[in-house]
Amino acid sequence: MAADELSSPTRKRGRDEEEDEEVVDAEKRLRGEEAEGAALLGLANYEDVEEDDDAARGGANGQHEEEEDEDEEEDVRRSLERRPRQVELRRDCPYLDTVNRQVLDFDFEKFCSISLSNLNVYACLVCGKYFQGRGLKSHAYTHSLEAGHHVFINLQTEKAYCLPDGYEINDPSLEDIRHVLNPRFTTEQVRNLDRNKQWSRALDGSNYLPGMVGLNNIKETDFVNVTIQSLMRVTPLRNFFLIPENYRHSKSPLVHRFGELTRKIWHARNFKGQVSPHEFLQAVMKASDKRFQIGVQSDPVEFISWLLNTMHSKLKSRKRNRSIIHDCFQGELEVVKEFHRKHIVDKKEDGDEQNGDTGSDVVAETSRVPFLMLGLDLPPPPLFKDAMEKNIIPQVPLFNILKKFDGETVTEVVRPSIARMRYRVIRLPKYLILHMRRFTKNNFFVEKNPTLVNFPVKNLELKDYIPLPKPKGNEKLRSKYDLIANIVHDGKPGEGCYRVFVQRKSEEAWYEMQDLHVTETLPQMVALSEAYMQIYEQHE
């Protein structure tokens, strides 16, 4: 009995010693694996997959959860491992010569080509594809192992990394890529932009003028391209969007995409002499609820009207209802509306209105209406052919159709009610947008008016043709304008295409732009076109 009592504690101590030895062996194995992993990973920072790694480690150590002491040690160790590891910064990356600038295109949406996520996206600088993350299980890490491509750049932070090694690359040779990814302008550069006559050279050896680059026609998006090219000639608007700090308060993707597109068009260090407005078009589709979309031809007049009003609403501050859009384009009209108000002259006692005589009075209402563009009515084309069996294309001076706004000419309207309207300009904008109403819709089809409008390219003097208000105090009457953009429609209504003539201020030369095609032209050729929409700049 005594022997059993003595031997029992001895056996118990033996079992405890064996269990302690097993725990020690397990801890040694775990430390050995960690040391091996640390030797392989070095100083790489794999923050993207830390949660996955933690879960995996938690699963591996699940068998020790019965031991309270080991649980506490595990918690301490996990809290240490969650701290981001130091990223090594190196200048001597051996893979920098594999970077291929010819394949880099940052004009498209920043989405991972595999997961289609826009979070934490990296561009492979060897093949140009986009991948998500750079952790051990990320798509960029996998691509670096499978394809042997090692240099990546974060599209948000613009930091370059070498994978799978994980260190950050600090090399000045990548600065040109960062400038193409996110073009930057100083205030001094913006101020001197219109004085720059220097051409830039693309990677393929072709020359291009900053600000005069072609825009890619994704699919029937020429109506967007001509609008963008026209707005790029409006100096205050362009200068505003070249510096992102001016519209940092706006949360609208449309505003920021327009700013990015403006900076890319005017950037002098592009890799190619054209820009694809893909990201801007996606923002337009979303903001307009697919009213304007890729693959569907639309009217540039409708588009510029929607774009200017939308961007104004996104840019205006709460305190003042002004924005760069209204500062550039907003003028004011005085509108006199005359209409007949019917009333019953005689009414019988039994309330039978049918037997009552009706009369009408002419009522005139005067109001002030702000405008961003003025619509001009063209005279109707002749119905019959001439002796040569050809339709005569009539011509009309711009001053004739501007008489609509002299305050005396009556314009009859049917909608929303029959009325006689008279318009008078009481405040001129810095930039005047004129729209020739060439297209008319009836119940059956859309008809295009081919009438040519004769207009001056320089020195359009409005005060000689429409009455203008007298300036206040010492202010000068600014009524003289120069043409800076002229949009033209070619082809049948509902089909056809749009092109635009724009002026380059540094040389006062004119260029014809149709999507990717940019050619210099004579000012006389501008005046011979079927003008559809024009932008005039006020003389200083």
Side-chain angles (χ1 to χ4, degrees), residues 43 50 77 94 107 245 250 267 271 276 438 497:
L43 292 172
E50 280 175 3
R77 188 181 64 165
D107 290 345
E245 284 74 20
S250 176
H267 193 223
F271 288 162
S276 180
R438 290 198 175 274
C497 57

Side-chain angles (χ1 to χ4, degrees), residues 231-488:
L231 292 177
M232 290 299 106
R233 312 308 133 198
V234 180
T235 307
L237 185 74
R238 177 203 67 189
N239 294 353
F240 177 86
F241 279 100
L242 284 177
I243 300 177
E245 284 74 20
N246 292 333
Y247 49 93
R248 184 180 288 169
H249 66 278
S250 176
K251 296 179 181 178
S252 167
L254 180 71
V255 169
H256 289 278
R257 294 289 175 267
F258 185 82
E260 286 174 14
L261 185 58
T262 305
R263 293 198 300 277
K264 286 177 180 177
I265 288 173
W266 286 94
H267 193 223
R269 296 168 65 178
N270 285 332
F271 288 162
K272 54 189 189 301
Q274 73 237 21
V275 175
S276 180
H278 204 276
E279 282 189 290
F280 175 71
L281 283 166
Q282 294 291 338
V284 165
M285 286 172 62
K286 189 172 182 181
S288 67
D289 292 328
K290 296 193 175 178
R291 177 182 170 190
F292 305 102
Q293 54 185 317
I294 298 171
V296 180
Q297 181 71 277
S298 295
D299 191 331
V301 172
E302 289 180 17
F303 178 67
I304 196 172
S305 178
W306 171 85
L307 181 65
L308 294 180
N309 281 296
T310 305
M311 288 208 298
H312 164 70
S313 67
K314 303 296 183 185
L315 285 170
K316 68 180 180 181
S317 59
R318 293 179 181 177
K319 294 181 180 178
R320 53 193 292 267
N321 191 27
R322 299 289 295 176
S323 69
I324 187 67
I325 306 295
H326 279 190
D327 292 343
C328 291
F329 299 108
Q330 193 183 55
E332 200 169 4
L333 285 176
E334 183 184 78
V335 181
V336 179
K337 180 181 180 182
E338 293 180 356
F339 59 95
H340 292 274
R341 179 179 291 167
K342 290 185 179 181
H343 59 89
I344 297 168
V345 177
D346 186 19
K347 190 174 180 182
K348 293 201 173 182
E349 293 179 1
D350 58 0
D352 188 3
E353 293 183 7
Q354 291 180 353
N355 296 329
D357 295 328
T358 58
S360 63
D361 294 332
V362 176
V363 180
E365 290 181 356
T366 305
S367 58
R368 290 190 166 198
V369 180
F371 69 88
L372 293 178
M373 72 168 73
L374 295 177
L376 303 176
D377 301 316
L378 297 176
L383 294 173
F384 305 104
K385 296 181 179 180
D386 63 0
M388 304 294 291
E389 290 296 316
K390 291 183 179 178
N391 280 327
I392 303 168
I393 298 177
Q395 299 187 31
V396 59
L398 177 64
F399 309 110
N400 283 13
I401 55 178
L402 273 173
K403 285 180 182 177
K404 175 183 177 180
F405 299 99
D406 63 3
E408 297 176 2
T409 303
V410 173
T411 306
E412 295 187 354
V413 297
V414 180
R415 293 174 184 168
S417 60
I418 297 174
R420 292 159 58 89
M421 313 287 282
R422 293 201 306 272
Y423 306 97
R424 186 169 70 92
V425 178
I426 55 175
R427 181 165 59 86
L428 286 169
K430 292 178 184 175
Y431 290 85
L432 180 65
I433 304 178
L434 298 179
H435 156 223
M436 287 69 173
R437 294 195 169 116
R438 290 198 175 274
F439 301 106
T440 52
K441 290 182 182 179
N442 56 32
N443 293 333
F444 306 102
F445 52 86
V446 179
E447 197 173 8
K448 181 181 176 183
N449 190 329
T451 302
L452 289 176
V453 179
N454 299 323
F455 55 87
V457 174
K458 290 185 78 71
N459 297 325
L460 168 66
E461 181 57 88
L462 291 179
K463 72 176 180 181
D464 297 339
Y465 301 95
I466 57 176
L468 296 172
K470 292 180 181 179
K472 299 175 183 177
N474 297 326
E475 291 181 7
K476 290 183 179 180
L477 178 63
R478 294 179 178 177
S479 60
K480 195 175 281 189
Y481 286 83
D482 288 338
L483 184 70
I484 56 172
N486 181 40
I487 293 176
V488 177

